Amino acid sequence: MAGFRSLSSGLRALRPEAFGADPRGERMARIRRSPHFKDGVFQNPGGPARTRPSGSTLDFAKVFFDKDTRPRRAPKGPVPLHTTTLADLSRPPATGLRLTWMGHSSVLAEIDGRRVLFDPVWGERCSPFPFAGPKRLHPVPVPLAALGPVDVVVISHDHYDHLDLPTIKALAGTDTLFAVPLGVGAHLERWGVSADRLRELDWHEATKVVGLTLTATPARHFCGRGLRNTQHTLWASWVVAGDEHRVYHSGDTGYFEGFKEIGAEHGPFDATMIQIGAYSDFWPDIHMTPEEGMRAHLDLQGGPEGGPMLPIHWATFNLATHPWAEPGEGTRSAAGAVGARIALPRPGEPFEPTAATIPSEPWWRGVALAPAGGSARGSAEGSSTVGEAVGGAAVKSASDAAAMAQADTVSDGRGSAGKGTEDPEALPAG
Protein backbone atom coordinates (compact mmCIF):
# COMPACT_ATOMS: atom_id res chain seq x y z
CA MET A 1 0.00 0.00 0.00
CA ALA A 2 2.83 2.36 0.77
CA GLY A 3 4.20 1.76 -2.70
CA PHE A 4 0.85 2.68 -4.28
CA ARG A 5 0.65 5.87 -2.19
CA SER A 6 4.16 6.79 -3.29
CA LEU A 7 3.27 6.24 -6.96
CA SER A 8 0.08 8.28 -6.59
CA SER A 9 1.98 11.13 -4.96
CA GLY A 10 4.56 11.02 -7.74
CA LEU A 11 1.90 11.21 -10.45
CA ARG A 12 0.27 14.20 -8.71
CA ALA A 13 3.65 15.92 -8.63
CA LEU A 14 3.89 15.56 -12.42
CA ARG A 15 0.45 17.04 -12.97
CA PRO A 16 0.68 20.37 -14.83
CA GLU A 17 -0.16 23.36 -12.66
CA ALA A 18 -2.79 24.47 -15.16
CA PHE A 19 -4.82 21.33 -14.44
CA GLY A 20 -5.58 22.80 -11.03
CA ALA A 21 -6.61 20.54 -8.16
CA ASP A 22 -9.40 18.08 -7.45
CA PRO A 23 -11.79 18.86 -4.59
CA ARG A 24 -10.91 17.02 -1.38
CA GLY A 25 -11.83 16.88 2.27
CA GLU A 26 -14.66 19.13 3.43
CA ARG A 27 -14.98 20.67 -0.03
CA MET A 28 -15.68 17.22 -1.50
CA ALA A 29 -18.03 16.42 1.38
CA ARG A 30 -19.98 19.57 0.61
CA ILE A 31 -20.16 18.59 -3.06
CA ARG A 32 -21.60 15.19 -2.11
CA ARG A 33 -24.27 16.96 -0.02
CA SER A 34 -25.38 19.08 -2.98
CA PRO A 35 -28.89 18.27 -4.25
CA HIS A 36 -27.45 18.62 -7.78
CA PHE A 37 -24.80 15.91 -7.25
CA LYS A 38 -25.95 12.37 -7.98
CA ASP A 39 -24.28 9.10 -8.94
CA GLY A 40 -20.85 10.66 -8.45
CA VAL A 41 -21.30 13.64 -10.80
CA PHE A 42 -23.08 16.97 -11.01
CA GLN A 43 -26.33 16.74 -12.95
CA ASN A 44 -27.62 19.16 -15.57
CA PRO A 45 -31.02 20.82 -15.34
CA GLY A 46 -33.45 19.43 -17.87
CA GLY A 47 -31.89 15.97 -17.91
CA PRO A 48 -28.60 14.60 -19.28
CA ALA A 49 -26.74 16.79 -21.77
CA ARG A 50 -24.66 15.33 -24.57
CA THR A 51 -21.05 16.36 -24.12
CA ARG A 52 -19.62 14.09 -26.81
CA PRO A 53 -20.24 14.68 -30.52
CA SER A 54 -23.02 12.82 -32.27
CA GLY A 55 -21.92 10.96 -35.39
CA SER A 56 -18.57 9.41 -36.12
CA THR A 57 -15.11 10.85 -35.63
CA LEU A 58 -14.70 10.72 -39.40
CA ASP A 59 -17.83 12.85 -39.89
CA PHE A 60 -16.49 15.38 -37.46
CA ALA A 61 -13.00 15.40 -38.99
CA LYS A 62 -14.44 16.10 -42.46
CA VAL A 63 -16.12 19.22 -41.11
CA PHE A 64 -13.32 20.32 -38.84
CA PHE A 65 -10.50 20.07 -41.36
CA ASP A 66 -12.39 21.13 -44.49
CA LYS A 67 -9.97 23.33 -46.48
CA ASP A 68 -12.69 25.50 -48.02
CA THR A 69 -14.51 26.49 -44.84
CA ARG A 70 -11.55 26.63 -42.44
CA PRO A 71 -10.41 30.14 -43.49
CA ARG A 72 -13.83 31.54 -42.59
CA ARG A 73 -13.30 30.61 -38.96
CA ALA A 74 -10.84 33.45 -38.41
CA PRO A 75 -10.82 37.15 -39.35
CA LYS A 76 -8.95 38.15 -42.50
CA GLY A 77 -7.21 41.07 -40.78
CA PRO A 78 -6.70 42.73 -37.38
CA VAL A 79 -9.86 42.75 -35.26
CA PRO A 80 -10.98 46.33 -34.56
CA LEU A 81 -10.42 47.11 -30.89
CA HIS A 82 -11.37 50.06 -28.72
CA THR A 83 -8.43 51.37 -26.73
CA THR A 84 -9.65 52.13 -23.25
CA THR A 85 -7.37 53.73 -20.66
CA LEU A 86 -7.30 53.63 -16.90
CA ALA A 87 -8.44 57.26 -16.95
CA ASP A 88 -11.52 56.28 -18.95
CA LEU A 89 -12.40 53.48 -16.55
CA SER A 90 -11.73 55.61 -13.47
CA ARG A 91 -14.57 57.96 -14.39
CA PRO A 92 -17.77 56.71 -12.75
CA PRO A 93 -20.54 55.70 -15.16
CA ALA A 94 -23.14 58.43 -15.43
CA THR A 95 -25.98 55.94 -15.09
CA GLY A 96 -24.39 53.84 -12.35
CA LEU A 97 -23.87 50.83 -14.65
CA ARG A 98 -21.19 50.27 -17.27
CA LEU A 99 -20.05 47.13 -19.07
CA THR A 100 -16.76 46.65 -20.90
CA TRP A 101 -16.51 43.48 -22.99
CA MET A 102 -12.87 42.41 -23.20
CA GLY A 103 -13.55 39.64 -25.72
CA HIS A 104 -14.89 36.10 -25.38
CA SER A 105 -16.74 35.89 -22.02
CA SER A 106 -14.60 38.40 -20.10
CA VAL A 107 -16.61 41.44 -19.00
CA LEU A 108 -15.86 44.21 -16.52
CA ALA A 109 -19.12 45.30 -14.91
CA GLU A 110 -19.12 48.54 -12.95
CA ILE A 111 -22.31 48.43 -10.95
CA ASP A 112 -23.46 50.86 -8.27
CA GLY A 113 -19.94 51.94 -7.36
CA ARG A 114 -18.43 48.43 -7.36
CA ARG A 115 -16.38 46.58 -9.97
CA VAL A 116 -17.02 42.97 -10.95
CA LEU A 117 -14.87 41.03 -13.44
CA PHE A 118 -16.52 38.04 -15.10
CA ASP A 119 -14.49 35.09 -16.47
CA PRO A 120 -11.23 37.04 -16.94
CA VAL A 121 -8.98 35.47 -19.58
CA TRP A 122 -5.90 37.55 -20.32
CA GLY A 123 -3.69 34.63 -21.34
CA GLU A 124 -2.47 34.16 -24.91
CA ARG A 125 -3.97 30.67 -25.24
CA CYS A 126 -6.89 28.90 -23.57
CA SER A 127 -4.94 25.72 -23.02
CA PRO A 128 -2.96 23.95 -20.30
CA PHE A 129 0.16 24.38 -22.42
CA PRO A 130 1.84 27.61 -23.57
CA PHE A 131 2.96 26.08 -26.88
CA ALA A 132 -0.34 24.67 -28.19
CA GLY A 133 -4.03 25.30 -28.06
CA PRO A 134 -6.44 28.00 -29.24
CA LYS A 135 -4.59 31.28 -29.59
CA ARG A 136 -6.09 34.74 -29.40
CA LEU A 137 -7.48 36.18 -32.60
CA HIS A 138 -7.00 39.68 -31.22
CA PRO A 139 -4.84 41.22 -28.47
CA VAL A 140 -6.26 41.92 -25.05
CA PRO A 141 -7.85 45.38 -25.48
CA VAL A 142 -6.91 46.56 -21.98
CA PRO A 143 -3.90 45.33 -19.94
CA LEU A 144 -4.97 43.67 -16.71
CA ALA A 145 -3.03 46.20 -14.66
CA ALA A 146 -4.86 49.04 -16.44
CA LEU A 147 -8.24 47.91 -15.10
CA GLY A 148 -7.54 49.30 -11.67
CA PRO A 149 -8.86 47.64 -8.50
CA VAL A 150 -11.51 44.94 -8.89
CA ASP A 151 -13.83 44.19 -5.99
CA VAL A 152 -14.81 40.66 -7.00
CA VAL A 153 -13.93 38.18 -9.75
CA VAL A 154 -16.76 35.88 -10.82
CA ILE A 155 -15.98 32.54 -12.51
CA SER A 156 -18.67 30.58 -14.36
CA HIS A 157 -16.84 27.23 -14.64
CA ASP A 158 -13.39 25.72 -14.90
CA HIS A 159 -12.82 25.32 -18.65
CA TYR A 160 -9.67 26.95 -19.97
CA ASP A 161 -11.43 29.71 -21.88
CA HIS A 162 -13.14 30.87 -18.66
CA LEU A 163 -10.67 30.03 -15.89
CA ASP A 164 -7.20 31.14 -16.98
CA LEU A 165 -4.17 30.25 -14.87
CA PRO A 166 -1.93 33.28 -15.66
CA THR A 167 -4.82 35.68 -15.11
CA ILE A 168 -5.83 34.14 -11.79
CA LYS A 169 -2.23 34.11 -10.58
CA ALA A 170 -1.93 37.81 -11.41
CA LEU A 171 -5.17 38.57 -9.57
CA ALA A 172 -4.11 36.40 -6.63
CA GLY A 173 -1.57 39.09 -5.82
CA THR A 174 -4.34 41.64 -5.26
CA ASP A 175 -6.94 41.81 -2.50
CA THR A 176 -9.91 41.00 -4.76
CA LEU A 177 -12.46 38.38 -3.72
CA PHE A 178 -13.51 35.46 -5.92
CA ALA A 179 -17.01 34.04 -6.37
CA VAL A 180 -16.92 30.56 -7.94
CA PRO A 181 -19.18 27.52 -8.36
CA LEU A 182 -18.90 24.66 -5.92
CA GLY A 183 -15.58 22.80 -6.22
CA VAL A 184 -13.80 25.38 -8.39
CA GLY A 185 -12.16 26.88 -5.32
CA ALA A 186 -9.76 23.91 -5.25
CA HIS A 187 -8.11 25.19 -8.45
CA LEU A 188 -7.78 28.73 -7.12
CA GLU A 189 -6.30 27.64 -3.80
CA ARG A 190 -3.63 25.66 -5.65
CA TRP A 191 -2.79 28.81 -7.61
CA GLY A 192 -2.31 31.01 -4.57
CA VAL A 193 -5.75 32.38 -3.69
CA SER A 194 -6.34 32.07 0.06
CA ALA A 195 -9.49 30.35 1.28
CA ASP A 196 -10.72 33.48 3.06
CA ARG A 197 -10.97 35.26 -0.31
CA LEU A 198 -13.21 32.58 -1.84
CA ARG A 199 -17.00 32.53 -1.95
CA GLU A 200 -17.87 29.06 -3.27
CA LEU A 201 -21.55 28.56 -4.11
CA ASP A 202 -23.97 25.88 -5.19
CA TRP A 203 -26.86 26.77 -7.49
CA HIS A 204 -29.40 29.08 -5.82
CA GLU A 205 -26.94 30.09 -3.10
CA ALA A 206 -26.05 33.76 -2.68
CA THR A 207 -23.31 35.75 -1.02
CA LYS A 208 -23.05 39.42 -0.13
CA VAL A 209 -19.81 41.05 -1.29
CA VAL A 210 -19.03 44.78 -0.94
CA GLY A 211 -22.70 45.68 -1.06
CA LEU A 212 -23.50 43.43 -4.03
CA THR A 213 -25.54 40.23 -3.90
CA LEU A 214 -24.06 37.47 -6.07
CA THR A 215 -26.23 34.45 -6.79
CA ALA A 216 -25.10 31.28 -8.55
CA THR A 217 -27.88 30.14 -10.89
CA PRO A 218 -28.22 26.98 -12.99
CA ALA A 219 -26.65 26.43 -16.40
CA ARG A 220 -26.62 23.47 -18.79
CA HIS A 221 -22.98 22.62 -19.43
CA PHE A 222 -20.16 20.50 -17.94
CA CYS A 223 -16.73 20.88 -16.35
CA GLY A 224 -13.19 19.59 -16.28
CA ARG A 225 -9.63 20.63 -17.12
CA GLY A 226 -7.44 17.62 -16.29
CA LEU A 227 -6.78 14.26 -17.90
CA ARG A 228 -9.99 12.97 -16.33
CA ASN A 229 -13.21 14.96 -16.25
CA THR A 230 -14.63 13.82 -12.94
CA GLN A 231 -17.59 16.24 -13.05
CA HIS A 232 -16.74 17.22 -9.46
CA THR A 233 -16.75 20.95 -10.13
CA LEU A 234 -19.98 22.80 -10.78
CA TRP A 235 -20.78 25.18 -13.65
CA ALA A 236 -23.06 28.18 -13.17
CA SER A 237 -24.59 31.32 -14.53
CA TRP A 238 -24.58 34.37 -12.25
CA VAL A 239 -26.86 37.16 -11.09
CA VAL A 240 -25.19 40.25 -9.62
CA ALA A 241 -27.48 42.78 -7.96
CA GLY A 242 -26.63 46.15 -6.43
CA ASP A 243 -28.85 48.72 -4.79
CA GLU A 244 -29.99 50.11 -8.14
CA HIS A 245 -28.93 47.74 -10.91
CA ARG A 246 -28.76 44.04 -11.66
CA VAL A 247 -27.06 42.03 -14.42
CA TYR A 248 -26.95 38.42 -15.56
CA HIS A 249 -23.97 36.48 -16.99
CA SER A 250 -24.79 33.15 -18.63
CA GLY A 251 -21.37 31.52 -18.57
CA ASP A 252 -21.56 28.59 -21.01
CA THR A 253 -24.90 26.85 -21.36
CA GLY A 254 -27.31 25.15 -23.65
CA TYR A 255 -30.85 26.43 -23.79
CA PHE A 256 -33.20 25.14 -21.09
CA GLU A 257 -36.50 26.17 -19.52
CA GLY A 258 -34.73 27.31 -16.36
CA PHE A 259 -34.07 30.74 -17.87
CA LYS A 260 -37.72 31.58 -17.25
CA GLU A 261 -37.39 30.63 -13.60
CA ILE A 262 -34.19 32.67 -13.18
CA GLY A 263 -35.88 35.67 -14.76
CA ALA A 264 -38.99 35.32 -12.62
CA GLU A 265 -36.95 35.11 -9.41
CA HIS A 266 -34.14 37.59 -10.11
CA GLY A 267 -35.12 39.72 -13.13
CA PRO A 268 -35.73 41.79 -15.02
CA PHE A 269 -32.12 42.81 -15.64
CA ASP A 270 -30.53 46.05 -16.72
CA ALA A 271 -28.38 43.91 -19.02
CA THR A 272 -27.83 40.26 -19.84
CA MET A 273 -24.54 38.80 -21.05
CA ILE A 274 -25.40 35.73 -23.11
CA GLN A 275 -23.22 33.05 -24.74
CA ILE A 276 -23.93 32.92 -28.50
CA GLY A 277 -20.71 31.43 -29.95
CA ALA A 278 -19.07 28.01 -30.41
CA TYR A 279 -22.45 26.34 -30.95
CA SER A 280 -22.71 23.12 -32.88
CA ASP A 281 -25.04 20.60 -34.39
CA PHE A 282 -22.63 18.08 -32.85
CA TRP A 283 -23.12 19.67 -29.39
CA PRO A 284 -26.66 21.06 -29.23
CA ASP A 285 -27.11 20.61 -25.47
CA ILE A 286 -24.22 22.63 -24.01
CA HIS A 287 -23.94 25.80 -26.13
CA MET A 288 -26.59 28.10 -27.53
CA THR A 289 -26.99 29.34 -31.07
CA PRO A 290 -27.67 33.07 -31.51
CA GLU A 291 -31.39 32.32 -31.85
CA GLU A 292 -31.37 30.27 -28.65
CA GLY A 293 -29.36 32.99 -26.91
CA MET A 294 -32.02 35.54 -27.84
CA ARG A 295 -34.72 33.18 -26.62
CA ALA A 296 -32.89 32.87 -23.29
CA HIS A 297 -32.60 36.66 -23.10
CA LEU A 298 -36.35 37.06 -23.65
CA ASP A 299 -37.06 34.41 -21.00
CA LEU A 300 -34.84 36.21 -18.51
CA GLN A 301 -36.37 39.61 -19.26
CA GLY A 302 -39.97 38.53 -19.65
CA GLY A 303 -40.03 39.95 -23.18
CA PRO A 304 -38.15 42.36 -25.44
CA GLU A 305 -38.78 45.47 -23.36
CA GLY A 306 -36.08 44.89 -20.73
CA GLY A 307 -32.43 45.89 -20.75
CA PRO A 308 -30.20 44.96 -23.69
CA MET A 309 -28.38 41.73 -24.40
CA LEU A 310 -24.59 41.73 -24.75
CA PRO A 311 -23.48 38.75 -26.89
CA ILE A 312 -20.44 36.99 -25.38
CA HIS A 313 -18.28 33.91 -26.02
CA TRP A 314 -17.28 34.76 -29.56
CA ALA A 315 -14.72 36.62 -31.74
CA THR A 316 -11.65 36.02 -29.54
CA PHE A 317 -10.82 32.31 -29.86
CA ASN A 318 -11.46 29.90 -32.70
CA LEU A 319 -13.59 27.34 -30.87
CA ALA A 320 -15.96 26.10 -33.59
CA THR A 321 -16.29 25.49 -37.31
CA HIS A 322 -18.95 28.10 -37.92
CA PRO A 323 -17.67 31.28 -39.62
CA TRP A 324 -15.98 33.72 -37.27
CA ALA A 325 -18.56 36.49 -37.76
CA GLU A 326 -21.62 34.27 -37.82
CA PRO A 327 -22.52 34.64 -34.11
CA GLY A 328 -22.61 38.43 -34.47
CA GLU A 329 -24.70 38.34 -37.63
CA GLY A 330 -27.01 35.71 -36.19
CA THR A 331 -27.57 37.74 -33.04
CA ARG A 332 -28.42 40.85 -35.07
CA SER A 333 -30.95 38.88 -37.08
CA ALA A 334 -32.50 37.25 -34.01
CA ALA A 335 -32.82 40.60 -32.22
CA GLY A 336 -34.36 42.26 -35.26
CA ALA A 337 -36.95 39.51 -35.55
CA VAL A 338 -38.30 40.17 -32.05
CA GLY A 339 -37.52 43.85 -31.60
CA ALA A 340 -35.03 43.32 -28.77
CA ARG A 341 -32.15 45.66 -27.95
CA ILE A 342 -28.63 44.29 -28.29
CA ALA A 343 -25.29 45.91 -27.54
CA LEU A 344 -22.50 45.34 -30.09
CA PRO A 345 -19.38 46.96 -28.65
CA ARG A 346 -15.95 46.34 -30.07
CA PRO A 347 -13.68 44.50 -27.62
CA GLY A 348 -12.59 47.03 -25.00
CA GLU A 349 -15.41 49.52 -25.68
CA PRO A 350 -17.27 50.57 -22.50
CA PHE A 351 -20.98 51.29 -22.73
CA GLU A 352 -23.83 52.02 -20.32
CA PRO A 353 -26.75 49.63 -20.90
CA THR A 354 -29.37 52.01 -19.47
CA ALA A 355 -28.20 54.99 -21.54
CA ALA A 356 -30.27 56.29 -24.44
CA THR A 357 -27.82 54.89 -26.99
CA ILE A 358 -25.64 51.78 -26.99
CA PRO A 359 -23.13 50.43 -29.56
CA SER A 360 -25.02 48.84 -32.45
CA GLU A 361 -22.75 48.77 -35.51
CA PRO A 362 -21.58 45.41 -36.97
CA TRP A 363 -17.90 46.28 -36.44
CA TRP A 364 -16.69 42.84 -37.57
CA ARG A 365 -17.78 43.10 -41.21
CA GLY A 366 -14.61 44.75 -42.44
CA VAL A 367 -12.49 41.75 -41.45
CA ALA A 368 -14.96 38.89 -41.87
CA LEU A 369 -14.66 36.35 -44.66
CA ALA A 370 -18.11 35.00 -43.86
CA PRO A 371 -21.06 36.56 -45.71
CA ALA A 372 -22.38 39.70 -44.00
CA GLY A 373 -26.00 40.70 -43.66
CA GLY A 374 -27.42 37.73 -41.79
CA SER A 375 -26.72 34.39 -40.20
CA ALA A 376 -25.07 31.85 -42.48
CA ARG A 377 -25.96 28.89 -40.27
CA GLY A 378 -28.38 27.55 -42.83
CA SER A 379 -25.70 27.38 -45.51
CA ALA A 380 -23.64 24.33 -46.33
CA GLU A 381 -20.58 25.62 -44.52
CA GLY A 382 -22.47 26.73 -41.43
CA SER A 383 -24.95 23.92 -40.88
CA SER A 384 -22.49 21.54 -39.24
CA THR A 385 -20.57 23.51 -36.65
CA VAL A 386 -18.46 22.34 -33.77
CA GLY A 387 -18.77 23.55 -30.20
CA GLU A 388 -16.00 23.76 -27.68
CA ALA A 389 -16.09 20.10 -26.79
CA VAL A 390 -15.86 18.63 -30.27
CA GLY A 391 -12.12 18.83 -30.73
CA GLY A 392 -11.52 15.95 -28.37
CA ALA A 393 -12.29 13.32 -30.98
CA ALA A 394 -10.77 15.06 -33.97
CA VAL A 395 -7.61 16.18 -32.25
CA LYS A 396 -6.99 12.74 -30.87
CA SER A 397 -7.33 11.24 -34.30
CA ALA A 398 -5.02 13.90 -35.76
CA SER A 399 -2.01 13.04 -33.62
CA ASP A 400 -0.94 12.04 -30.13
CA ALA A 401 0.67 15.43 -29.66
CA ALA A 402 -2.57 17.18 -30.47
CA ALA A 403 -4.39 14.98 -28.00
CA MET A 404 -1.89 15.96 -25.35
CA ALA A 405 -2.46 19.61 -26.17
CA GLN A 406 -6.16 19.35 -25.40
CA ALA A 407 -5.69 17.37 -22.23
CA ASP A 408 -9.00 18.35 -20.69
CA THR A 409 -10.91 16.74 -23.56
CA VAL A 410 -10.00 13.16 -22.76
CA SER A 411 -13.12 11.39 -21.57
CA ASP A 412 -13.06 9.38 -18.35
CA GLY A 413 -15.85 7.13 -19.48
CA ARG A 414 -18.65 9.14 -17.87
CA GLY A 415 -19.65 10.79 -21.13
CA SER A 416 -17.80 14.03 -20.47
CA ALA A 417 -15.24 15.81 -22.59
CA GLY A 418 -13.49 19.11 -22.89
CA LYS A 419 -13.08 21.86 -25.44
CA GLY A 420 -13.07 21.26 -29.17
CA THR A 421 -11.15 24.01 -30.81
CA GLU A 422 -8.86 25.04 -33.57
CA ASP A 423 -5.75 27.15 -33.39
CA PRO A 424 -5.24 28.59 -36.88
CA GLU A 425 -1.53 29.07 -36.20
CA ALA A 426 -0.78 25.67 -34.72
CA LEU A 427 -3.03 22.69 -34.11
CA PRO A 428 -6.48 21.95 -32.74
CA ALA A 429 -6.46 21.96 -28.96
CA GLY A 430 -8.50 22.95 -25.98
Side-chain angles (χ1 to χ4, degrees):
M1 292 299 293
F4 284 111
R5 283 197 298 271
S6 176
L7 176 61
S8 176
S9 299
L11 290 174
R12 281 200 299 271
L14 294 174
R15 177 179 175 139
E17 185 180 22
F19 282 8
D22 294 327
R24 301 179 186 279
E26 176 51 34
R27 180 175 277 119
M28 192 64 217
R30 187 181 169 201
I31 287 170
R32 292 193 179 101
R33 293 193 299 268
S34 169
H36 313 296
F37 192 78
K38 183 181 179 182
D39 298 329
V41 296
F42 278 111
Q43 305 291 318
N44 264 303
R50 284 173 289 171
T51 58
R52 293 182 63 85
S54 57
S56 69
T57 299
L58 179 60
D59 291 337
F60 161 73
K62 287 178 179 178
V63 174
F64 193 85
F65 295 109
D66 182 79
K67 65 181 178 63
D68 294 324
T69 60
R70 245 183 128 177
R72 296 183 184 273
R73 303 203 295 262
K76 64 182 180 181
V79 175
L81 303 180
H82 180 89
T83 303
T84 300
T85 66
L86 179 57
D88 295 328
L89 295 174
S90 64
R91 285 193 295 268
T95 61
L97 176 64
R98 181 166 59 205
L99 302 181
T100 307
W101 178 51
M102 302 297 176
H104 204 57
S105 295
S106 303
V107 182
L108 175 66
E110 298 167 271
I111 177 169
D112 297 341
R114 299 298 183 180
R115 311 176 93 233
V116 181
L117 188 56
F118 291 96
D119 283 356
V121 175
W122 261 251
E124 188 64 18
R125 296 181 185 269
C126 50
S127 167
F129 307 108
F131 54 84
K135 192 176 182 180
R136 286 185 164 275
L137 300 175
H138 65 77
V140 179
V142 182
L144 192 60
L147 290 184
V150 172
D151 293 295
V152 56
V153 171
V154 175
I155 302 296
S156 64
H157 63 296
D158 67 0
H159 285 157
Y160 288 98
D161 57 325
H162 297 261
L163 181 62
D164 179 54
L165 169 62
T167 305
I168 296 301
K169 294 192 79 168
L171 291 167
T174 70
D175 59 0
T176 188
L177 301 175
F178 293 82
V180 302
L182 195 56
V184 175
H187 299 312
L188 273 64
E189 284 193 33
R190 185 185 180 194
W191 299 337
V193 178
S194 59
D196 64 333
R197 291 167 58 197
L198 290 172
R199 306 293 183 269
E200 201 162 341
L201 305 183
D202 200 347
W203 290 341
H204 308 297
E205 291 183 340
T207 185
K208 196 87 168 182
V209 176
V210 296
L212 301 175
T213 300
L214 288 76
T215 305
T217 46
R220 188 165 166 78
H221 200 57
F222 66 110
C223 66
R225 58 190 290 124
L227 288 172
R228 295 181 305 113
N229 291 319
T230 59
Q231 298 295 80
H232 287 170
T233 56
L234 188 59
W235 49 95
S237 57
W238 287 88
V239 172
V240 177
D243 292 335
E244 301 293 333
H245 298 91
R246 60 183 56 222
V247 298
Y248 171 86
H249 188 284
S250 71
D252 279 3
T253 181
Y255 179 81
F256 68 114
E257 291 294 324
F259 291 116
K260 296 176 182 177
E261 298 172 8
I262 295 170
E265 184 173 356
H266 300 284
F269 301 96
D270 294 289
T272 67
M273 296 161 269
I274 305 291
Q275 170 264 309
I276 50 84
Y279 44 82
S280 172
D281 290 342
F282 287 100
W283 297 87
D285 298 336
I286 57 171
H287 275 181
M288 292 189 290
T289 66
E291 294 83 1
E292 289 172 326
M294 179 53 61
R295 184 179 173 191
H297 169 75
L298 296 178
D299 288 350
L300 290 160
Q301 298 290 45
E305 294 80 19
M309 168 183 157
L310 169 64
I312 61 172
H313 202 267
W314 75 291
T316 303
F317 297 104
N318 193 342
L319 301 179
T321 62
H322 58 64
W324 172 73
E326 187 178 280
E329 295 291 351
T331 302
R332 290 186 82 244
S333 297
V338 298
R341 294 177 75 214
I342 56 171
L344 299 173
R346 290 173 292 167
E349 181 178 3
F351 73 98
E352 301 192 26
T354 59
T357 60
I358 57 177
S360 60
E361 294 301 315
W363 52 265
W364 55 85
R365 286 185 175 174
V367 293
L369 286 172
S375 174
R377 292 198 307 107
S379 65
E381 70 250 28
S383 60
S384 295
T385 58
V386 179
E388 64 182 70
V390 181
V395 173
K396 186 175 180 181
S397 66
S399 69
D400 290 340
M404 288 273 299
Q406 45 88 54
D408 69 326
T409 72
V410 180
S411 172
D412 69 348
R414 298 177 184 267
S416 61
K419 313 283 187 196
T421 62
E422 179 194 30
D423 178 355
E425 297 186 14
L427 48 81

